Amino acid sequence: MEDLPPNPLREGLLAARRPEPLTFVLFGGGGDLSHRKIAPALYNLAVDRLLPDQFAVVGVSRQEWDDAAFRKEMAEGIVTNSRRQPVDQTIWSALAEDLHYVSGDFSDPATYRRLGKALADLPAGGNRLYYLATPPQFYGDIVRGIGTIKRGDGFSRVVVEKPFGRDLDSARRLNGAIHQVFAEEEVYRIDHYLGKETVQNVLVFRFANSIFEPVWNRNYIDQVQITAAESIGIESRASYYEGAGAMRDMLQNHILQLLCLTAMEPPGDFSPDAVRDEKVKVLRTIRPVERADMVRGQYTAGWAGGERVPGYRQESGVAPDSGTETMVAARLAVDNWRWQGVPFYVRAGKRFPKRVTEIAVVFRPAPHLPWRGATDELRPNAILIRVQPDEGITLSFGAKVPGQAVRIRSVDMDFVQGTSFTADAPEAYERLLLDAMTGVPTLFTRHDEVETAWSLLAGVLDRNGGPVEPYEAGSWGPPTAEALTARDGRYWRRP
Ligand code: BG6
């Protein structure tokens, strides 16, 4: 038989990745994360026919719901948050039949007896993926509870949401508690930034092309800037955010992961440990952050999206004298041969002027410019990896402005993901859920990675990080953030 030409509609879909039959146990099934991210991800995997043939979800939460109430809640999550709209009723109805619910307190052993019984009644066999989508204070109880029902006839994996601990000691304790029940290969610590297409593309850009790697070092690169800016405030998450702040919420995980991918050495292959070994090596070479190299800020009332918005301390659930930072900026040094002397300026914040996440790799200026007075509009060459929005990569370089005189201005050469590829990119959670279901931990963080990341920040958490300085909502942070780069004779790029 003649070979069929590839179906263009399937371009970009992951081939042959359907997981084995399994039951997905969703702790915190009634919570915000399940509603916003997990329900839509499961639905979109169902649309792509990437869920197992025999599949069941068991939501576990304190809400006194039955299966029908849980299904209704998940349906609302999908209608509000799925990237594909309108929701296909046939696909949803088939998925809904696989959704079940167990109500109970996470610290009550009876909850796990009920859960064990519910699982035994389901036809999906012994494979289980446990997902901890609860506030972190419940992780210990839940993992112990799982220990009482974990079986040997199939795989058991656990997905743990961030924040993974709140400092080095608590992360170690949490790793210890998890390792009482799960082997490290069974633990999937999620950092959803690693599931983003553009973040994965950092490695492809660097290691699938031969033209960038020769210049990817201190000989050519002057500085790297990583920005994760959000225009939103803390929304209704005060109870979590008050205890976290931007350091724990963004810097310890998402930002350091972006830094690792930018700075790591090429792995020998793309196997989970080869990639993670290289990331850990980078983390180990980062100099522990000192107070003098960081800035913490907190937004005050200002403007966002043309509307007047309250300051952080006026948000509901926030203490009127709160010392929690809503932005952080830091200057990091990577002490190895490749990066010696190249500062990595990183910043993350809420109520910045816009939502943008990008990695800017800024090159050294040309050693000599033969055009006097013609280069005022020439900025240093840069490669910008736009993680979101407008996903893509830009190379910025100098070009002659047409005309009789020589004037040189920076111009952009653009790769725009949305126009180069027709396939819609899956959401980070779709990719990561599928990886956890199929047992591929490459894009999840290993215990030593998490612990090393905490150890870098050990000296600057909370008050040790210096005063929290006010910045107006709708600005790029307090003036001291500008000073962090200015004292090195550099400046933050305006993304
Ligand atoms: C989460 C943080 O991990 O990432 C949030 O807890 C933050 O505070 C979010 O808003 C940002 O994610 P994204 O995918 O919108 O960049």
Side-chain angles (χ1 to χ4, degrees):
M1 200 175 96
E2 224 180 296
D3 276 351
L4 288 174
N7 177 351
L9 296 178
R10 292 191 58 81
E11 187 192 346
L13 290 187
L14 301 157
R17 290 209 59 201
R18 218 148 172 202
E20 291 174 40
L22 71 87
T23 304
F24 181 82
V25 184
L26 180 56
F27 291 95
D32 179 61
L33 184 73
S34 300
H35 183 91
R36 277 189 308 117
K37 298 288 186 188
I38 299 174
L42 289 173
Y43 166 74
N44 281 290
L45 288 173
V47 174
D48 289 331
R49 280 183 271 142
L50 288 169
L51 289 179
D53 286 332
Q54 283 172 304
F55 180 61
V57 178
V58 182
V60 188
S61 296
R62 271 177 305 181
Q63 284 91 336
E64 289 184 359
W65 289 345
D66 57 10
D67 289 357
F70 179 54
R71 289 173 188 165
K72 183 161 170 286
E73 172 67 22
M74 296 290 267
E76 280 167 14
I78 294 167
V79 169
T80 324
N81 299 301
S82 167
R83 68 185 164 95
R84 289 182 172 116
Q85 297 289 348
V87 173
D88 181 317
Q89 285 309 319
T90 315
I91 295 174
W92 160 246
S93 308
L95 178 62
E97 279 176 26
D98 293 332
L99 305 184
H100 308 273
Y101 187 76
V102 169
S103 154
D105 197 294
F106 299 127
S107 59
D108 181 359
T111 304
Y112 302 90
R113 286 197 290 275
R114 284 200 298 281
L115 174 61
K117 182 166 177 325
L119 290 171
D121 290 345
L122 290 170
N127 293 336
R128 286 172 196 169
L129 183 66
Y130 299 96
Y131 197 113
L132 311 192
T134 65
Q137 62 266 31
F138 299 116
Y139 291 172
D141 283 339
I142 295 174
V143 170
R144 269 189 297 280
I146 295 172
T148 63
I149 55 169
K150 195 170 174 244
R151 309 193 322 193
D153 59 339
F155 65 71
S156 285
R157 302 181 188 130
V158 64
V159 181
V160 189
E161 268 293 335
K162 67 169 263 276
F164 196 91
R166 45 178 295 107
D167 53 19
L168 179 57
D169 279 353
S170 53
R172 279 191 180 139
R173 279 199 303 276
L174 181 54
N175 274 329
I178 292 175
H179 288 154
Q180 297 278 314
V181 178
F182 291 95
E184 177 60 23
E185 315 75 84
E186 298 173 321
V187 186
Y188 289 66
R189 296 172 194 79
I190 209 163
D191 181 313
H192 79 282
Y193 267 52
L194 292 174
K196 289 181 190 273
E197 283 289 327
T198 32
V199 173
Q200 295 167 52
N201 216 5
V202 177
L203 294 188
V204 174
F205 180 75
R206 290 190 55 200
F207 303 138
N209 301 298
S210 64
I211 58 175
F212 304 115
E213 203 49 28
V215 297
W216 209 262
N217 56 54
R218 65 188 302 277
N219 299 327
Y220 294 90
I221 294 175
D222 172 63
Q223 53 167 319
V224 177
Q225 297 194 0
I226 300 177
T227 298
E230 297 181 89
S231 52
I232 54 170
I234 53 145
E235 302 185 298
S236 52
R237 300 166 71 217
S239 61
Y240 153 72
Y241 200 88
E242 272 282 83
M247 297 268 284
R248 295 185 173 90
D249 189 46
M250 297 291 292
L251 180 63
Q252 188 269 348
N253 33 72
H254 306 326
I255 295 272
L256 284 180
Q257 288 295 329
L258 295 181
L259 190 155
C260 284
L261 300 180
T262 310
M264 69 191 255
E265 296 301 314
D269 55 44
F270 205 64
S271 62
D273 279 334
V275 173
R276 297 186 297 179
D277 285 348
E278 294 304 338
K279 289 201 290 167
V280 173
K281 276 198 233 163
V282 175
L283 290 169
R284 291 207 177 117
T285 58
I286 300 178
R287 217 177 290 160
V289 187
E290 291 179 9
R291 185 194 272 217
D293 287 323
M294 61 170 297
V295 172
R296 299 196 301 149
Q298 188 186 71
Y299 64 82
T300 57
W303 295 87
E307 282 180 17
R308 192 86 189 131
V309 293
Y312 178 68
R313 290 182 183 181
Q314 288 84 54
E315 301 272 18
S316 128
V318 172
D321 58 351
S322 169
T324 300
E325 77 282 347
T326 59
M327 73 76 70
V328 60
R331 180 189 194 280
L332 303 178
V334 181
D335 280 334
N336 62 20
W337 190 298
R338 188 190 281 266
W339 295 112
Q340 192 53 240
V342 179
F344 282 71
Y345 300 105
V346 301
R347 59 181 167 171
K350 306 249 181 224
R351 287 284 187 231
F352 274 14
K354 59 177 180 176
R355 174 175 184 254
V356 58
T357 302
E358 70 166 37
I359 303 168
V361 177
V362 183
F363 289 83
R364 290 174 185 271
H368 173 67
L369 291 167
W371 305 276
R372 283 184 187 226
T375 54
D376 295 354
E377 297 167 273
L378 177 65
R379 281 174 282 120
N381 295 152
I383 289 173
L384 305 176
I385 300 173
R386 295 189 308 276
V387 174
Q388 61 192 20
D390 308 324
E391 291 77 0
I393 299 174
T394 297
L395 172 63
S396 162
F397 60 95
K400 181 178 176 306
V401 179
Q404 302 297 359
V406 178
R407 257 178 69 214
I408 298 172
R409 182 184 293 168
S410 292
V411 294
D412 288 345
M413 201 154 79
D414 252 345
F415 151 60
V416 180
Q417 186 173 282
T419 55
S420 294
F421 297 108
T422 49
D424 262 359
E427 282 276 330
Y429 271 88
E430 294 167 39
R431 168 65 197 248
L432 295 173
L433 278 184
L434 185 61
D435 280 1
M437 288 185 201
T438 45
V440 182
T442 314
L443 300 178
F444 294 81
T445 47
R446 219 168 48 188
H447 69 106
D448 47 350
E449 221 173 322
V450 177
E451 290 179 12
T452 314
W454 279 121
S455 69
L456 293 176
L457 303 179
V460 287
L461 287 172
D462 305 316
R463 277 197 218 124
N464 292 334
V468 171
E469 302 179 39
Y471 63 97
E472 201 181 336
S475 73
W476 287 100
T480 38
E482 298 297 332
L484 198 64
T485 48
R487 72 174 197 222
D488 295 342
R490 299 186 176 91
Y491 57 90
W492 290 106
R493 293 177 52 90
R494 284 281 170 267

mmCIF file of all heavy atoms in Angstrom, residues 454-479:
data_model
loop_
_atom_site.group_PDB
_atom_site.id
_atom_site.type_symbol
_atom_site.label_atom_id
_atom_site.label_comp_id
_atom_site.label_asym_id
_atom_site.label_seq_id
_atom_site.Cartn_x
_atom_site.Cartn_y
_atom_site.Cartn_z
ATOM 1 N N TRP A 454 16.797 26.864 46.770
ATOM 2 C CA TRP A 454 16.531 27.485 48.077
ATOM 3 C C TRP A 454 17.823 27.932 48.744
ATOM 4 O O TRP A 454 17.889 28.986 49.376
ATOM 5 C CB TRP A 454 15.793 26.517 49.004
ATOM 6 C CG TRP A 454 14.319 26.426 48.779
ATOM 7 C CD1 TRP A 454 13.609 25.303 48.458
ATOM 8 C CD2 TRP A 454 13.362 27.493 48.860
ATOM 9 N NE1 TRP A 454 12.284 25.603 48.327
ATOM 10 C CE2 TRP A 454 12.089 26.937 48.571
ATOM 11 C CE3 TRP A 454 13.431 28.856 49.138
ATOM 12 C CZ2 TRP A 454 10.918 27.685 48.562
ATOM 13 C CZ3 TRP A 454 12.271 29.617 49.123
ATOM 14 C CH2 TRP A 454 11.036 29.032 48.841
ATOM 15 N N SER A 455 18.870 27.127 48.614
ATOM 16 C CA SER A 455 20.093 27.476 49.345
ATOM 17 C C SER A 455 20.689 28.785 48.814
ATOM 18 O O SER A 455 21.303 29.537 49.566
ATOM 19 C CB SER A 455 21.104 26.333 49.322
ATOM 20 O OG SER A 455 21.592 26.185 48.023
ATOM 21 N N LEU A 456 20.468 29.083 47.540
ATOM 22 C CA LEU A 456 20.980 30.346 46.990
ATOM 23 C C LEU A 456 20.330 31.562 47.628
ATOM 24 O O LEU A 456 20.907 32.639 47.694
ATOM 25 C CB LEU A 456 20.639 30.436 45.493
ATOM 26 C CG LEU A 456 21.320 29.450 44.588
ATOM 27 C CD1 LEU A 456 20.806 29.597 43.175
ATOM 28 C CD2 LEU A 456 22.799 29.759 44.639
ATOM 29 N N LEU A 457 19.073 31.367 48.044
ATOM 30 C CA LEU A 457 18.307 32.500 48.560
ATOM 31 C C LEU A 457 18.298 32.545 50.085
ATOM 32 O O LEU A 457 17.674 33.433 50.680
ATOM 33 C CB LEU A 457 16.858 32.429 48.045
ATOM 34 C CG LEU A 457 16.705 32.397 46.513
ATOM 35 C CD1 LEU A 457 15.235 32.302 46.129
ATOM 36 C CD2 LEU A 457 17.319 33.648 45.882
ATOM 37 N N ALA A 458 19.001 31.590 50.691
ATOM 38 C CA ALA A 458 18.897 31.447 52.151
ATOM 39 C C ALA A 458 19.183 32.750 52.897
ATOM 40 O O ALA A 458 18.550 33.052 53.899
ATOM 41 C CB ALA A 458 19.828 30.336 52.627
ATOM 42 N N GLY A 459 20.124 33.552 52.396
ATOM 43 C CA GLY A 459 20.511 34.752 53.144
ATOM 44 C C GLY A 459 19.621 35.961 52.892
ATOM 45 O O GLY A 459 19.829 37.010 53.519
ATOM 46 N N VAL A 460 18.667 35.855 51.976
ATOM 47 C CA VAL A 460 17.912 37.067 51.618
ATOM 48 C C VAL A 460 16.388 36.872 51.657
ATOM 49 O O VAL A 460 15.639 37.673 51.104
ATOM 50 C CB VAL A 460 18.303 37.576 50.197
ATOM 51 C CG1 VAL A 460 19.678 38.205 50.224
ATOM 52 C CG2 VAL A 460 18.221 36.485 49.156
ATOM 53 N N LEU A 461 15.948 35.800 52.318
ATOM 54 C CA LEU A 461 14.501 35.621 52.392
ATOM 55 C C LEU A 461 13.906 36.599 53.411
ATOM 56 O O LEU A 461 14.548 36.951 54.402
ATOM 57 C CB LEU A 461 14.158 34.181 52.789
ATOM 58 C CG LEU A 461 14.379 33.137 51.687
ATOM 59 C CD1 LEU A 461 14.201 31.724 52.234
ATOM 60 C CD2 LEU A 461 13.450 33.362 50.496
ATOM 61 N N ASP A 462 12.707 37.042 53.148
ATOM 62 C CA ASP A 462 11.978 37.946 54.041
ATOM 63 C C ASP A 462 12.837 39.170 54.401
ATOM 64 O O ASP A 462 13.488 39.718 53.550
ATOM 65 C CB ASP A 462 11.494 37.186 55.295
ATOM 66 C CG ASP A 462 10.656 35.967 54.888
ATOM 67 O OD1 ASP A 462 9.810 36.122 53.983
ATOM 68 O OD2 ASP A 462 10.875 34.888 55.429
ATOM 69 N N ARG A 463 12.862 39.521 55.698
ATOM 70 C CA ARG A 463 13.528 40.784 56.063
ATOM 71 C C ARG A 463 15.019 40.797 55.736
ATOM 72 O O ARG A 463 15.619 41.848 55.545
ATOM 73 C CB ARG A 463 13.344 41.057 57.550
ATOM 74 C CG ARG A 463 12.006 41.707 57.766
ATOM 75 C CD ARG A 463 11.933 42.379 59.112
ATOM 76 N NE ARG A 463 10.593 42.149 59.600
ATOM 77 C CZ ARG A 463 10.309 41.587 60.747
ATOM 78 N NH1 ARG A 463 11.250 41.222 61.570
ATOM 79 N NH2 ARG A 463 9.052 41.409 61.104
ATOM 80 N N ASN A 464 15.616 39.615 55.677
ATOM 81 C CA ASN A 464 17.055 39.584 55.351
ATOM 82 C C ASN A 464 17.325 40.129 53.958
ATOM 83 O O ASN A 464 18.452 40.446 53.606
ATOM 84 C CB ASN A 464 17.583 38.150 55.420
ATOM 85 C CG ASN A 464 17.582 37.657 56.838
ATOM 86 O OD1 ASN A 464 17.662 38.458 57.763
ATOM 87 N ND2 ASN A 464 17.463 36.355 57.018
ATOM 88 N N GLY A 465 16.264 40.204 53.155
ATOM 89 C CA GLY A 465 16.422 40.721 51.795
ATOM 90 C C GLY A 465 16.407 42.235 51.739
ATOM 91 O O GLY A 465 16.418 42.802 50.649
ATOM 92 N N GLY A 466 16.343 42.894 52.903
ATOM 93 C CA GLY A 466 16.358 44.361 52.912
ATOM 94 C C GLY A 466 14.948 44.914 52.974
ATOM 95 O O GLY A 466 13.966 44.166 52.976
ATOM 96 N N PRO A 467 14.842 46.240 53.028
ATOM 97 C CA PRO A 467 13.526 46.863 53.181
ATOM 98 C C PRO A 467 12.654 46.632 51.948
ATOM 99 O O PRO A 467 13.167 46.421 50.857
ATOM 100 C CB PRO A 467 13.865 48.355 53.308
ATOM 101 C CG PRO A 467 15.221 48.499 52.712
ATOM 102 C CD PRO A 467 15.929 47.194 52.893
ATOM 103 N N VAL A 468 11.343 46.677 52.189
ATOM 104 C CA VAL A 468 10.415 46.575 51.053
ATOM 105 C C VAL A 468 10.077 47.996 50.630
ATOM 106 O O VAL A 468 9.528 48.767 51.415
ATOM 107 C CB VAL A 468 9.150 45.809 51.470
ATOM 108 C CG1 VAL A 468 8.102 45.884 50.381
ATOM 109 C CG2 VAL A 468 9.499 44.363 51.731
ATOM 110 N N GLU A 469 10.431 48.327 49.417
ATOM 111 C CA GLU A 469 10.252 49.710 48.984
ATOM 112 C C GLU A 469 8.996 49.859 48.148
ATOM 113 O O GLU A 469 8.688 48.986 47.335
ATOM 114 C CB GLU A 469 11.470 50.120 48.178
ATOM 115 C CG GLU A 469 12.717 49.949 49.020
ATOM 116 C CD GLU A 469 13.943 50.327 48.268
ATOM 117 O OE1 GLU A 469 13.879 51.307 47.531
ATOM 118 O OE2 GLU A 469 14.935 49.614 48.413
ATOM 119 N N PRO A 470 8.279 50.957 48.365
ATOM 120 C CA PRO A 470 7.030 51.124 47.611
ATOM 121 C C PRO A 470 7.275 51.458 46.142
ATOM 122 O O PRO A 470 8.270 52.084 45.804
ATOM 123 C CB PRO A 470 6.361 52.317 48.313
ATOM 124 C CG PRO A 470 7.455 53.021 49.042
ATOM 125 C CD PRO A 470 8.543 52.045 49.314
ATOM 126 N N TYR A 471 6.404 50.967 45.277
ATOM 127 C CA TYR A 471 6.398 51.418 43.876
ATOM 128 C C TYR A 471 4.943 51.547 43.449
ATOM 129 O O TYR A 471 4.076 50.809 43.916
ATOM 130 C CB TYR A 471 7.167 50.469 42.952
ATOM 131 C CG TYR A 471 6.611 49.063 42.824
ATOM 132 C CD1 TYR A 471 5.783 48.686 41.756
ATOM 133 C CD2 TYR A 471 6.910 48.076 43.772
ATOM 134 C CE1 TYR A 471 5.283 47.389 41.633
ATOM 135 C CE2 TYR A 471 6.411 46.793 43.661
ATOM 136 C CZ TYR A 471 5.593 46.447 42.584
ATOM 137 O OH TYR A 471 5.097 45.175 42.481
ATOM 138 N N GLU A 472 4.719 52.496 42.598
ATOM 139 C CA GLU A 472 3.342 52.765 42.197
ATOM 140 C C GLU A 472 2.849 51.679 41.242
ATOM 141 O O GLU A 472 3.588 51.275 40.331
ATOM 142 C CB GLU A 472 3.331 54.119 41.486
ATOM 143 C CG GLU A 472 1.979 54.747 41.452
ATOM 144 C CD GLU A 472 2.030 56.079 40.709
ATOM 145 O OE1 GLU A 472 3.105 56.697 40.642
ATOM 146 O OE2 GLU A 472 0.983 56.458 40.179
ATOM 147 N N ALA A 473 1.644 51.186 41.455
ATOM 148 C CA ALA A 473 1.072 50.216 40.513
ATOM 149 C C ALA A 473 1.137 50.827 39.121
ATOM 150 O O ALA A 473 0.807 51.994 38.925
ATOM 151 C CB ALA A 473 -0.370 49.902 40.892
ATOM 152 N N GLY A 474 1.583 50.029 38.145
ATOM 153 C CA GLY A 474 1.721 50.553 36.787
ATOM 154 C C GLY A 474 3.125 51.054 36.488
ATOM 155 O O GLY A 474 3.391 51.558 35.407
ATOM 156 N N SER A 475 4.049 50.875 37.442
ATOM 157 C CA SER A 475 5.444 51.264 37.181
ATOM 158 C C SER A 475 6.306 49.993 37.173
ATOM 159 O O SER A 475 5.830 48.905 37.494
ATOM 160 C CB SER A 475 5.940 52.232 38.248
ATOM 161 O OG SER A 475 6.163 51.547 39.467
ATOM 162 N N TRP A 476 7.574 50.170 36.826
ATOM 163 C CA TRP A 476 8.482 49.024 36.734
ATOM 164 C C TRP A 476 9.204 48.751 38.052
ATOM 165 O O TRP A 476 10.259 48.113 38.060
ATOM 166 C CB TRP A 476 9.503 49.238 35.618
ATOM 167 C CG TRP A 476 8.905 49.101 34.252
ATOM 168 C CD1 TRP A 476 8.522 50.112 33.435
ATOM 169 C CD2 TRP A 476 8.612 47.877 33.553
ATOM 170 N NE1 TRP A 476 8.005 49.594 32.262
ATOM 171 C CE2 TRP A 476 8.052 48.225 32.308
ATOM 172 C CE3 TRP A 476 8.767 46.518 33.860
ATOM 173 C CZ2 TRP A 476 7.643 47.289 31.375
ATOM 174 C CZ3 TRP A 476 8.358 45.574 32.922
ATOM 175 C CH2 TRP A 476 7.804 45.956 31.698
ATOM 176 N N GLY A 477 8.680 49.244 39.162
ATOM 177 C CA GLY A 477 9.320 48.954 40.443
ATOM 178 C C GLY A 477 9.940 50.207 41.030
ATOM 179 O O GLY A 477 9.938 51.270 40.412
ATOM 180 N N PRO A 478 10.496 50.084 42.229
ATOM 181 C CA PRO A 478 11.061 51.257 42.900
ATOM 182 C C PRO A 478 12.351 51.727 42.207
ATOM 183 O O PRO A 478 12.983 50.944 41.493
ATOM 184 C CB PRO A 478 11.372 50.740 44.310
ATOM 185 C CG PRO A 478 11.460 49.275 44.189
ATOM 186 C CD PRO A 478 10.614 48.844 43.028
ATOM 187 N N PRO A 479 12.757 52.976 42.439
ATOM 188 C CA PRO A 479 13.963 53.502 41.793
ATOM 189 C C PRO A 479 15.213 52.672 42.075
ATOM 190 O O PRO A 479 16.106 52.591 41.252
ATOM 191 C CB PRO A 479 14.104 54.905 42.404
ATOM 192 C CG PRO A 479 12.764 55.232 42.947
ATOM 193 C CD PRO A 479 12.076 53.959 43.266
#
